Amino acid sequence: MESLLDPFQYLFFQKGMLVATIAGALCGVVGVYVVLRGMSYIGHGLSHAIFGGAAASSIISFNYFIGAGLWGLVSALMIGKVTRRKVIGSDAAIGVITTASFALGLALFATFGSARKSVDAVLFGSILGVSSTDIWALVGMSSFTAAVLVLNYRPLLFATFDPDVAAVSGVNTARVDALLMLVLAGSILVTMKIIGVLLIAALLVIPASIARLLTNSFARMLSYSGVIGALTGATGMYLSYHLNVSAGASIVLVGAVVFVVAFGATTMKRQVVVVG
Amino acid sequence: MSVALVAMHRVSCAYGRDRALEDVSMVVEPGDFIGIVGPSGCGKTTLLRSILGTMQPCDGQVVRRERLKIGYVPQVETVDWQFPVTVREVVSMAKPTSRWSPWSTREERSTVDALLERLGVGGLAHRHIRELSGGQQQRVFIARALLRAPELLVLDEPTSGVDVRTRHEMLHLLAELNEPGLAVLVTTHDLNGLAAHLPHLMCLNRRVIAAGAPRMVLNPRVLEATFGAPMAVLEHAGMPLVVDDYTHFNDQLFRTKEA
């Protein structure tokens, strides 16, 4: 029993548990819109795009959150604009914008090797090295996201489900889309240092996908996804201590296991219903 | 004299260089019940989009009455049936709200319930939209369009892919909604099941071929110009009944066989 509670005696672990839980819930909720809008690739690409901003901010010793945040927002708006046009495939356009930004980040880190933030920390995350500023940024972004999603619940749902009819029915879909991109970019920004660029897309997609398997209601999917994100974040963080693997990988693997279980259970349930 | 809800003056719309609509003029007034008929790709949806304001004409002008409220029911083929949304959520999403809370008030819930009941889909509020029949799904989307108390209801192919009974029910429902003065504009390529029963038709094939009462416009000359194939018009129970005219084809076939 003592060994189970062992990690909680360390302050770094307590902080890690807190950020993993909040980041899981935040990405879980935002991920619902990402998954239902078929934007999983945008979430993945955006984290790579923000990497370029993180590198540039680090090189010129500019505030990480402001520099990478602005970079991410511009990338998100560009991606949003590109996805509305259908001249070339949106996936190809996203690939161009985000991989170019990612490549720029790598080039900047390679050229100015004395940069304070290492490439590894940004790529794979360092949940145990989070500062108080990082925690406050995460809490602030989570509060902002909650406010945006609550105040714009119906327009966001309408524009996600049926954008054409929403526009005709008086919903300012351009504003709603921009707001969602802002929330997505901000969420990636504050969780990127925790889970890392390479795994953040999983944090956005897995809880929402599990929640989708469990319910046919949008409101319930939102709440389930937030709770699943928080629980997998906390469980993954806890297991990472005992299994001695990186927190980011552990969180994503816990999410993947839950997804497999949920998928198996819902498939079996459906078969039972069909046979019965 | 009533003020027109929508007036189109010599409107042309294009996708790139391809003109989907050419020189179309029409007026929709309060209480109108208009059917727009034509083959696939004739510009029906483009016409609706220009009326709804989601497509700007490249020529001409669309004038909508100030603060006009339009309810729009899209083609069911455009709906994502895998989306996790219940019947109540579909209808409620159209409710404009100034409240901060995302949850519906008791009053809003009872408004939605009453609307669903009126449209014959009461008791299905908690069901997922995919679990409903085609006719029930159409009614749910009509309920969503009606929630904003529109003055004009626009429906894109509401009887596409539904059975005969559902088509009859849909026709009765639209007539019932039109009765108190709601203007209804509906596109269809279903000539006998829907169009022939409407008070006013517009035959479209990029241009307006003809407009007027079904008895006036459903004739072989107009139908051939609209659909690009010969059609005959019979009369059944005092109503025009359009049938494919294979006379020419049969003559040719028999001549070939005899030769």
Side-chain angles (χ1 to χ4, degrees):
Chain A
M1 184 65 189
E2 213 167 88
S3 69
L4 289 176
L5 297 174
D6 206 29
F8 289 99
Q9 65 184 299
Y10 304 111
L11 182 64
F12 73 85
F13 186 81
Q14 292 169 13
K15 275 187 182 177
M17 281 296 280
L18 179 70
V19 293
T21 308
I22 300 174
L26 172 65
C27 289
V29 170
V30 175
V32 168
Y33 295 95
V34 171
V35 167
L36 293 179
R37 286 173 171 240
M39 286 167 44
S40 302
Y41 188 52
I42 295 180
H44 184 70
L46 204 51
S47 59
H48 285 65
I50 290 174
F51 177 74
S57 309
S58 175
I59 301 308
I60 61 169
S61 296
F62 190 67
N63 182 284
Y64 163 80
F65 289 111
I66 299 174
L70 283 173
W71 193 295
L73 183 62
V74 170
S75 302
L77 292 174
M78 281 169 69
I79 290 168
K81 202 171 174 60
V82 167
T83 51
R84 275 195 291 277
R85 288 191 62 184
K86 288 162 186 166
V87 181
I88 56 165
S90 59
D91 53 346
I94 293 162
V96 171
I97 295 167
T98 59
T99 50
S101 184
F102 185 68
L104 179 64
L106 285 176
L108 286 173
F109 272 126
T111 311
F112 304 96
S114 60
R116 281 180 296 158
K117 289 178 176 61
S118 72
V119 177
D120 281 0
V122 182
L123 286 181
F124 303 108
S126 64
I127 202 164
L128 302 180
V130 290
S131 64
S132 298
T133 313
D134 296 333
I135 296 174
W136 282 116
L138 179 62
V139 170
M141 189 62 216
S142 301
S143 309
F144 174 71
T145 301
V148 166
L149 299 189
V150 165
L151 291 171
N152 296 279
Y153 177 78
R154 284 183 200 176
L156 269 167
L157 169 59
F158 207 167
T160 302
F161 176 58
D162 209 340
D164 291 341
V165 183
V168 172
S169 307
V171 175
N172 186 341
T173 49
R175 177 187 157 275
V176 165
D177 289 352
L179 211 53
L180 189 64
M181 280 298 182
L182 178 67
V183 164
L184 178 60
S187 302
I188 290 172
L189 179 70
V190 295
T191 47
M192 199 167 83
K193 285 169 76 179
I194 297 163
I195 193 121
V197 168
L198 297 179
L199 295 176
I200 203 161
L203 211 59
L204 286 165
V205 171
I206 293 176
S209 302
I210 297 167
R212 177 64 194 94
L213 290 171
L214 301 179
T215 182
N216 275 329
S217 155
F218 179 78
R220 278 200 291 274
M221 184 178 169
L222 261 186
S223 50
Y224 288 4
S225 187
V227 171
I228 291 166
L231 288 176
T232 52
T235 312
M237 178 65 207
Y238 179 75
L239 289 178
S240 75
Y241 178 87
H242 290 288
L243 301 174
N244 197 23
V245 293
S246 85
S250 178
I251 291 168
V252 171
L253 284 174
V254 168
V257 168
V258 177
F259 176 82
V260 170
V261 171
F263 187 78
T266 49
T267 306
M268 273 172 61
K269 189 181 166 193
R270 196 169 300 144
Q271 282 170 348
V272 168
V273 170
V274 170
V275 172
Chain B
M1 188 184 145
S2 60
V3 180
L5 300 176
V6 180
M8 297 177 74
H9 303 289
R10 310 198 67 177
V11 168
S12 297
C13 292
Y15 297 98
R17 287 181 181 173
D18 299 327
R19 291 220 164 189
L21 276 187
E22 192 94 52
D23 204 21
V24 172
S25 296
M26 75 177 291
V27 174
V28 183
E29 299 206 356
D32 276 354
F33 194 169
I34 303 172
I36 298 165
V37 296
S40 301
C42 73
K44 296 191 292 286
T45 301
T46 305
L47 177 73
L48 293 193
R49 292 181 67 193
S50 65
I51 288 174
L52 296 168
T54 56
M55 183 167 192
Q56 295 306 314
C58 56
D59 271 319
Q61 202 183 12
V62 181
V63 182
R64 282 169 223 92
R65 204 178 72 184
E66 224 175 303
R67 287 189 290 278
L68 174 67
K69 278 199 265 181
I70 304 178
Y72 175 47
V73 182
Q75 285 188 38
V76 286
E77 284 82 3
T78 64
V79 175
D80 175 8
W81 298 110
Q82 298 304 321
F83 197 97
V85 72
T86 62
V87 167
R88 184 189 295 287
E89 285 175 327
V90 169
V91 180
S92 302
M93 68 174 71
K95 182 78 182 167
T97 178
S98 53
R99 296 169 61 247
W100 64 269
S101 168
W103 294 283
S104 302
T105 59
R106 189 175 295 173
E107 191 190 336
E108 283 171 354
R109 277 199 300 274
S110 52
T111 306
V112 170
D113 285 341
L115 197 51
L116 290 172
E117 199 66 49
R118 181 181 160 206
L119 294 180
V121 281
L124 301 176
H126 296 290
R127 298 269 288 275
H128 185 253
I129 47 165
R130 197 185 50 228
E131 295 168 7
L132 310 183
S133 68
Q136 289 171 331
Q137 287 167 343
Q138 276 290 359
R139 284 163 187 265
V140 170
F141 286 98
I142 291 174
R144 182 178 70 177
L146 293 177
L147 192 69
R148 296 175 69 236
E151 295 139 292
L152 171 61
L153 182 64
V154 175
L155 303 99
D156 198 359
E157 303 276 4
T159 54
S160 164
V162 298
D163 57 30
V164 178
R165 185 182 155 190
T166 308
R167 203 169 58 198
H168 283 186
E169 287 173 358
M170 186 58 59
L171 183 64
H172 284 291
L173 174 65
L174 294 180
E176 208 178 292
L177 294 172
N178 174 246
E179 184 73 31
L182 172 68
V184 178
L185 184 64
V186 53
T187 66
T188 184
H189 53 245
D190 181 4
L191 292 172
N192 295 318
L194 186 63
H197 303 273
L198 304 182
H200 189 92
L201 287 185
M202 188 168 100
C203 295
L204 187 75
N205 194 343
R206 286 201 309 137
R207 296 170 174 275
V208 177
I209 306 295
R215 278 188 159 279
M216 305 273 290
V217 298
L218 293 182
N219 64 62
R221 187 185 54 79
V222 169
L223 290 169
E224 184 161 1
T226 305
F227 289 90
M231 291 178 172
V233 180
L234 312 175
E235 194 165 303
H236 175 70
M239 301 282 294
L241 181 68
V242 180
V243 293
D244 293 334
D245 186 355
Y246 288 114
T247 322
H248 178 69
F249 174 75
N250 288 345
D251 286 352
Q252 209 172 28
L253 189 70
F254 291 137
R255 266 204 301 275
T256 314
K257 274 186 175 175
E258 281 166 9

